[in-house]
Amino acid sequence: MTTFPQPFTSTVSHWQATNRGKSSLFNHNRDKKLPTDVVDYVVIGAGMAGASMAYHLTRPGIADGKKVVVLEAKDVASGATGRNGGHCAPYSFGAWTHLTTPLEEGGAGLTPQETLEVLDLEKRVLEYVTETIEKEKWEVDFWRGEKLEVRRTEIAATQMELSYAAWIEARSASRLKDVKPEWEWIADAAEAQRISRIKGATGCSKGPAGSLHPHKLATAFLKSALATGQADLYSWSPVQKMTKNGEGIWDVDCGERGTLKTKEVIVCTNAHTGSLFKGTDIDEYLTPFQGQAANVTPPPSYSGAAYLNNTYTIEDGPYLVATPHAGIVLGLHHKLAVDTGILEAKDVFGNADDSFVHPNAKAWLANYCKDSFADWGKEAPGEGGMRFWAGIQCATKNTLPLVGQVPGERYKGIWIAAGFHGHGMARIALTTKYLAKLVTTGKWDAGLPLSFKITTQRLEDGKKAPPYITDADKVGGVLGKVLGGLGYGGGVKSVAR
Ligand SMILES: Cc1cc2nc3c(=O)[nH]c(=O)nc-3n(C[C@H](O)[C@H](O)[C@H](O)COP(=O)(O)OP(=O)(O)OC[C@H]3O[C@@H](n4cnc5c(N)ncnc54)[C@H](O)[C@@H]3O)c2cc1C
């Protein structure tokens, strides 16, 4: 459980460090008094979800003349958004197994058709983000190309082949039957090694992806919202609680910053959502977890014409992007970290502290490129791992976000978009567009997968999912492993890479 103000000083990411100029929104309205009138919409959180929500609410024809206030506990994109891997990349067919595995076994428990809808949303998010950045002329270091999902064992390559076949078969029985598949599977190991430059690759998929500067993108969404005159942002305004105050009005309590009155609240607080719904099924449905990432300056062997051509996820390696000018950003996937013993489950799940990077994670991130990319060569002082940071993500029971009107009469006027499970850049930009439509018209857009909808039943079903962290995990070390072996441990859920 996280509460604000936080009792620690967060690490600073590559993205947060490289968006400090006059045009950034650091400290925006930090000392300005909160409005005293009743505002129409309060958005809590200024990460990708809150920033894009403010943008969508302020587009012409959506909520004309209505006032939107964004309340942020710290600065813009101080949460996961400003600390992520910069990858805006849809899942491929590689996610098939995880999305269709039953909830009780740690998967999302979707039918093949529901799975196709989730994958299709992610593909459309990349298209939408591309179009919006171009239309708005935002400078967010955007790159558009292809992601390689590299497998390094025979078993994982075979699994990918099976998933590819299942995906193609499901498409042939769906509305997508005449749409050309956007992913290919390269089963030839030599070819996979050639295009990926990863030693020992056994196969790889290739499909659409983007990378971008997430701190600049969240800032751009917010600045466009502010420019309409309809929206305002108050940073360093941590919401402590929301209380119903008579008919149709909510008091949003920001502690020392004061209280704001509003008709509708949109909660975009991701990993920190539990503290606003303490002791409820929403609190139980969400688990904060720490992620770690780094910025690596490549040596000349991987610079200029020899720079990486693709973004990556790698079976026993990181997720990785090559920024246009500032080198590589790579992250350590939580499942790999725990399964291979780089970190213990208790270091990851339930850890809402982004003030440190565990030395094991730091060493792994520092060494990955030089150990794994063919002919990387020697790193000069100032090359290799330069900056390391942590960020807090939000796991959900079925790995899908909670979106919509919070169920129950007592929550009328409270909406949510949270629980992006470490994969929000591929989902948020359109999810919030559809949520803005739902909030303003009451209509669920067919483009938003129904599997994302927050319902009482979904929250109840979540109780059947295996926990992310068990009492044995919390003990950790050898004793934890012994208890785990005796059936007290949970193991890390399988998620797509
Ligand atoms: C290391 C790392 C790597 C990642 N890599 C990728 C990637 O490559 N691709 C990808 O798709 N996803 C990635 N993710 C996940 C992605 O960053 C998240 O899914 C996404 O940013 C979530 O956005 P959000 O707006 O929901 O949450 P956040 O960005 O966490 O924003 C929530 C905001 O709410 C504020 N807040 C919380 N509580 C309160 C309160 N009570 N009052 C006021 N404000 C509050 C927080 O301060 C924060 O700014 C990564 C995450 C991490 C940490």
Side-chain angles (χ1 to χ4, degrees):
M1 174 82 62
T2 350
T3 49
F4 293 93
Q6 292 174 324
F8 49 77
T9 304
S10 301
T11 49
V12 173
S13 74
H14 165 71
W15 316 111
Q16 292 168 317
T18 53
N19 193 24
R20 296 266 159 163
K22 295 269 185 208
S23 62
S24 74
L25 288 170
F26 276 90
N27 296 314
H28 190 85
N29 282 342
R30 184 178 183 147
D31 300 316
K32 186 174 163 188
K33 273 194 170 339
L34 298 181
T36 48
D37 313 346
V38 177
V39 301
D40 298 290
Y41 302 106
V42 164
V43 177
I44 310 180
M48 187 62 192
S52 57
M53 189 71 205
Y55 174 83
H56 296 309
L57 282 172
T58 52
R59 292 312 90 197
I62 302 298
D64 294 342
K66 302 224 166 147
K67 182 84 189 155
V68 180
V69 167
V70 181
L71 298 172
E72 166 53 49
K74 296 166 79 181
D75 271 311
V76 168
S78 51
T81 300
R83 305 168 169 280
N84 66 31
H87 212 179
C88 183
Y91 278 156
S92 75
F93 55 87
W96 199 264
T97 307
H98 138 67
L99 290 171
T100 55
T101 294
L103 176 72
E104 294 79 355
E105 292 167 30
L110 300 185
T111 64
Q113 290 308 309
E114 288 169 331
T115 303
L116 285 180
E117 293 307 326
V118 171
L119 298 182
D120 187 54
L121 171 86
E122 297 191 11
K123 181 182 145 200
R124 287 182 290 115
V125 165
L126 177 59
E127 285 158 10
Y128 174 78
V129 167
T130 308
E131 283 159 21
T132 308
I133 290 171
E134 280 168 7
K135 183 182 84 183
E136 301 279 8
K137 301 190 173 34
W138 289 338
E139 300 278 342
V140 294
D141 301 348
F142 186 56
W143 169 92
R144 177 80 196 250
E146 285 174 325
K147 169 172 70 159
L148 305 179
E149 297 172 326
V150 182
R151 297 298 180 258
R152 296 217 323 144
T153 57
E154 290 302 335
I155 193 164
T158 305
Q159 184 59 52
M160 285 295 269
E161 284 198 41
L162 294 173
S163 295
Y164 185 78
W167 178 62
I168 293 291
E169 189 189 331
R171 284 174 72 93
S172 67
S174 79
R175 66 180 174 81
L176 299 169
K177 63 179 184 302
D178 298 323
V179 181
K180 186 170 176 277
E182 66 274 21
W183 287 93
E184 60 179 297
W185 169 244
I186 297 158
D188 181 67
E191 177 61 3
Q193 285 166 27
R194 189 188 68 76
I195 63 168
S196 71
R197 298 159 82 184
I198 292 289
K199 295 175 202 166
T202 52
C204 76
S205 69
K206 190 158 72 133
S211 75
L212 44 81
H213 193 304
H215 198 276
K216 288 186 182 170
L217 183 63
T219 303
F221 269 119
L222 265 173
K223 285 178 80 170
S224 290
L226 302 189
T228 63
Q230 251 181 280
D232 214 346
L233 159 72
Y234 292 81
S235 47
W236 297 92
S237 301
V239 175
Q240 306 299 312
K241 60 179 190 294
M242 307 168 296
T243 321
K244 207 164 209 169
N245 176 356
E247 201 39 47
I249 303 290
W250 285 89
D251 278 348
V252 181
D253 172 4
C254 292
E256 288 173 8
R257 293 284 264 133
T259 296
L260 194 62
K261 291 195 184 312
T262 185
K263 295 175 192 158
E264 317 273 353
V265 183
I266 301 117
V267 178
C268 298
T269 48
N270 211 36
H272 313 287
T273 304
S275 69
L276 297 176
F277 295 93
K278 270 186 211 118
T280 68
D281 286 350
I282 294 179
D283 186 7
E284 195 182 331
Y285 205 82
L286 305 175
T287 304
F289 68 106
Q290 196 209 52
Q292 310 79 22
N295 176 220
V296 168
T297 302
S301 55
Y302 273 71
S303 300
Y307 201 49
L308 292 176
N309 293 322
N310 300 92
T311 59
Y312 289 78
T313 60
I314 303 164
E315 183 189 349
D316 53 351
Y319 45 91
L320 182 152
V321 309
T323 70
H325 309 290
I328 289 167
V329 170
L330 74 166
L332 170 56
H333 195 270
H334 57 274
K335 180 163 165 56
L336 178 76
V338 177
D339 285 353
T340 59
I342 299 166
L343 298 174
E344 292 185 32
K346 70 179 170 56
D347 298 322
V348 176
F349 295 103
N351 179 359
D353 183 342
D354 56 13
S355 69
F356 69 98
V357 178
H358 191 292
N360 291 357
K362 196 170 175 177
W364 187 88
L365 289 163
N367 293 327
Y368 184 81
C369 290
K370 65 174 179 228
D371 290 349
S372 306
F373 281 108
D375 305 318
W376 180 266
K378 199 165 160 6
E379 292 170 349
E383 290 172 345
M386 290 291 104
R387 190 186 284 274
F388 302 84
W389 63 91
I392 310 304
Q393 307 163 85
C394 185
T396 75
K397 294 283 187 188
N398 74 346
T399 78
L400 302 175
L402 296 175
V403 182
Q405 159 87 59
V406 175
E409 189 53 31
R410 72 182 168 129
Y411 288 121
K412 199 155 184 287
I414 307 277
W415 308 81
I416 191 168
F420 287 98
H421 206 88
H423 190 54
M425 302 306 286
R427 290 178 171 165
I428 291 174
L430 278 182
T431 295
T432 49
K433 180 169 192 237
Y434 299 135
L435 181 58
K437 175 175 173 184
L438 184 66
V439 172
T440 52
T441 68
K443 294 196 178 92
W444 185 275
D445 193 290
L448 183 58
L450 270 172
S451 54
F452 286 10
K453 188 171 184 176
I454 179 170
T455 63
T456 310
Q457 188 62 49
R458 201 176 142 202
L459 296 175
E460 189 57 34
D461 287 347
K463 294 173 187 165
K464 297 180 208 150
Y468 285 97
I469 185 159
T470 64
D471 289 342
D473 293 323
K474 284 180 201 156
V475 174
V478 176
L479 180 59
K481 288 202 172 83
V482 171
L483 289 171
L486 293 173
Y488 295 99
V492 179
K493 291 188 190 189
S494 163
V495 278
R497 309 218 46 224

